[in-house]
Amino acid sequence: MSISHFRLLLIAFAGMLAPAAQGQVTWALEAVRIYPAPDVPPVNGGKVVVAGTRIKAITGLSDARTPAATKAPECNGGIIVAGFQNSHVHFTGDEFLDAGRQPAEALTGALTQMLTRYGYTTVFDIASDRDNTLALRARIGNGQVRGPRILTAGLPLFPPHGLPIYISHFRKELLDKLPQPASVDEALKVLRENFAAGADATKLFIATPQGNNSVKRMPAAIARAAVDETHRRAKLVFAHPTDIEGVQAALDAHVDILAHPPIGAPVPWPESVMKQVRDARMSMIPTLKLFPFELEKEHVPSAVADRLVSESVTEFGKFAAMGGEVLFGTDVGYMTDYDPTLEYELMAKAGMTPMQILASLTTTPAARWKEQRRRGRLAAGMDADIVVLDADPADAPRNFASVRCAIRHGEVIYVRR
Ligand SMILES: [Zn+2]
């Protein structure tokens, strides 16, 4: 046996032993500051002790009971926050094609580029080729691929003959799979198939731009039936509203989460509608960076684009200020520029404080999915989903993007090299 064969064999054995041993591994991460949660004061100088997949304790730096060992020395010395959730992503890019068979390293690389290097330990895919996304999730689950926890809405529902113009560049094989049910029965059949396959939510494109200023709308009976069926299964419904009429349709159908604000709608957005969204406890995903990204694609002059973006940011800020629930999300996968720095800056420009932004990334999604006892904050017994930042987000919200390490369920899924 050659040395390289022997080495391969050792690696293979290490891989087999790792999952069994993981439950016993206890290690610590040192930090200059820890934010256990947005609603409690930070700890200056401390350690997060991880045992297996959970957090064992948060201690002082000199605490003698904590182990000195660490899994990743490069992750010491930063600012520690809980793992982030990006509630609006899509696995529609070519780099995720044929996820069941692609080399594992290629998929890990693609997930790193789009997601883990920005600290997302949980992501919600809200429209993609369902079975491909589920294959990707399975390979992360069995340890072949390093990546975030993936939740998915599976195949989304569109209005009859109503695919939106902005996805016309998608692969034909994918476009052909996208359901545009013409009746309640057809819509329910799509949902049954989604949930049987393993989907975690429903996504409705409630209003879809067709070009030439025309918009197709999902029949109200279909939207309402899809929501009722999803709620019957104790799951949540996302809707893409497009405009104020779409927000109203989402309200009428009892949708849970707006995948975007009515970005680009004439300002001001009607206060009474925004209050209804808040009072219905419908969450909103800001995706603010998407707007300048789209305007640039359409070659809108920058002075005009700046004004339009600023108007939408102001209107979104009013919703946040009136107590509307905000879930962080960026629409990456559709948006090919993955860097969330501008998103954080625009959320701050809308008036959100650094701790409100942290809540939209951590405690708010955990509560929305009724997992607040498991994740969203750093405390003994919680999942070891951890992000290490280089700089303090309280100094500048853009620092949420200065991710050095991401850890999910005690496993280091990203280290910046
Ligand atoms: Zn999207």
Side-chain angles (χ1 to χ4, degrees):
M1 183 187 288
S2 72
I3 286 175
S4 64
H5 275 121
F6 183 65
R7 204 177 276 157
L8 271 178
L9 206 68
L10 276 181
I11 291 167
F13 269 112
M16 282 164 62
L17 290 173
Q22 200 178 40
Q24 292 123 39
V25 176
T26 300
W27 56 290
L29 262 177
E30 291 181 11
V32 296
R33 180 168 292 162
I34 300 170
Y35 286 95
D39 52 358
V40 298
V43 176
N44 288 322
K47 287 186 191 179
V48 176
V49 184
V50 175
T53 62
R54 301 280 184 88
I55 292 169
K56 190 176 177 195
I58 311 280
T59 71
L61 275 181
S62 56
D63 191 298
R65 295 162 304 168
T66 59
T70 181
K71 260 191 183 177
E74 315 90 306
C75 303
N76 279 335
I79 313 284
I80 290 186
V81 290
F84 298 158
Q85 173 165 327
N86 189 328
S87 299
H88 188 153
V89 311
H90 300 281
F91 291 106
T92 42
D94 287 350
E95 64 272 38
F96 297 109
L97 270 177
D98 203 14
R101 278 184 293 265
Q102 262 210 62
E105 317 83 75
L107 289 172
T108 298
L111 290 163
T112 303
Q113 285 308 307
M114 190 165 95
L115 301 168
T116 53
R117 72 167 161 154
Y118 298 117
Y120 310 128
T121 52
T122 301
V123 298
F124 221 116
D125 158 68
I126 58 169
S128 63
D129 185 341
R130 179 192 68 212
D131 295 340
N132 192 62
T133 299
L134 292 170
L136 177 64
R137 171 159 89 182
R139 292 187 74 190
I140 295 171
N142 68 21
Q144 290 176 17
V145 171
R146 254 194 332 276
R149 174 186 181 206
I150 294 175
L151 299 166
T152 180
L155 289 169
L157 276 63
F158 295 88
H161 308 288
L163 295 185
I165 188 158
Y166 52 77
I167 62 166
S168 51
H169 62 288
F170 279 20
R171 294 181 303 280
K172 183 168 184 308
E173 313 86 81
L174 176 56
L175 292 175
D176 287 347
K177 288 183 190 173
L178 297 177
Q180 302 156 63
S183 68
V184 166
D185 282 351
E186 276 182 46
L188 294 180
K189 182 167 176 282
V190 175
L191 295 196
R192 277 195 298 275
E193 288 169 2
N194 267 344
F195 290 124
D200 307 284
T202 293
K203 167 76 179 285
L204 305 177
F205 282 80
I206 223 155
T208 54
Q210 302 295 303
N212 308 320
N213 286 326
S214 80
V215 175
K216 287 235 166 116
R217 297 189 186 272
M218 181 172 284
I222 292 182
R224 186 59 202 264
V227 171
D228 288 349
E229 176 61 16
T230 306
H231 286 172
R232 200 177 64 75
R233 294 167 186 263
K235 296 188 183 330
L236 301 180
V237 180
F238 294 79
H240 184 128
T242 300
D243 51 18
I244 298 295
E245 198 181 331
V247 173
Q248 193 64 61
L251 279 163
D252 293 345
H254 296 190
V255 161
D256 304 290
I257 299 165
L258 293 175
H260 304 278
I263 274 179
V267 295
W269 301 344
E271 192 183 340
S272 62
V273 176
M274 291 301 122
K275 279 186 171 159
Q276 283 181 66
V277 172
R278 175 197 64 191
D279 294 343
R281 215 198 137 208
M282 193 187 281
S283 317
M284 190 184 283
I285 304 176
T287 64
L288 297 171
K289 181 184 166 178
L290 178 66
F291 197 31
F293 176 83
E294 294 289 75
L295 292 171
E296 199 182 320
K297 264 198 327 202
E298 290 166 28
H299 307 293
V300 173
S302 65
V304 179
D306 289 351
R307 179 176 56 78
L308 292 171
V309 171
S310 164
E311 284 175 358
S312 276
V313 166
T314 300
E315 294 305 307
F316 166 74
K318 289 183 196 167
F319 172 76
M322 66 166 71
E325 185 168 284
V326 178
L327 293 169
F328 180 85
T330 52
D331 207 359
V332 289
Y334 170 74
M335 187 166 66
T336 48
D337 177 352
Y338 302 147
D339 185 348
T341 303
L342 180 60
E343 184 68 22
Y344 294 127
E345 288 176 341
L346 292 175
M347 290 170 87
K349 195 171 164 223
M352 292 181 75
T353 65
M355 289 303 110
Q356 285 173 329
I357 296 172
L358 181 61
S360 78
L361 286 156
T362 57
T363 47
T364 308
R368 184 84 249 208
W369 277 277
K370 297 192 166 62
E371 294 180 338
Q372 65 271 37
R373 289 198 184 84
R374 251 188 64 192
R375 65 180 180 108
R377 53 182 68 232
L378 302 170
M382 303 293 273
D383 285 352
D385 289 355
I386 298 163
V387 173
V388 182
L389 303 172
D390 276 333
D392 195 332
D395 296 336
R398 62 180 293 123
N399 292 340
F400 281 117
S402 68
V403 174
R404 190 188 296 183
C405 297
I407 293 136
R408 180 174 78 93
H409 287 187
E411 188 202 348
V412 180
I413 57 171
Y414 172 72
V415 178
R416 194 179 54 220
R417 303 283 178 199

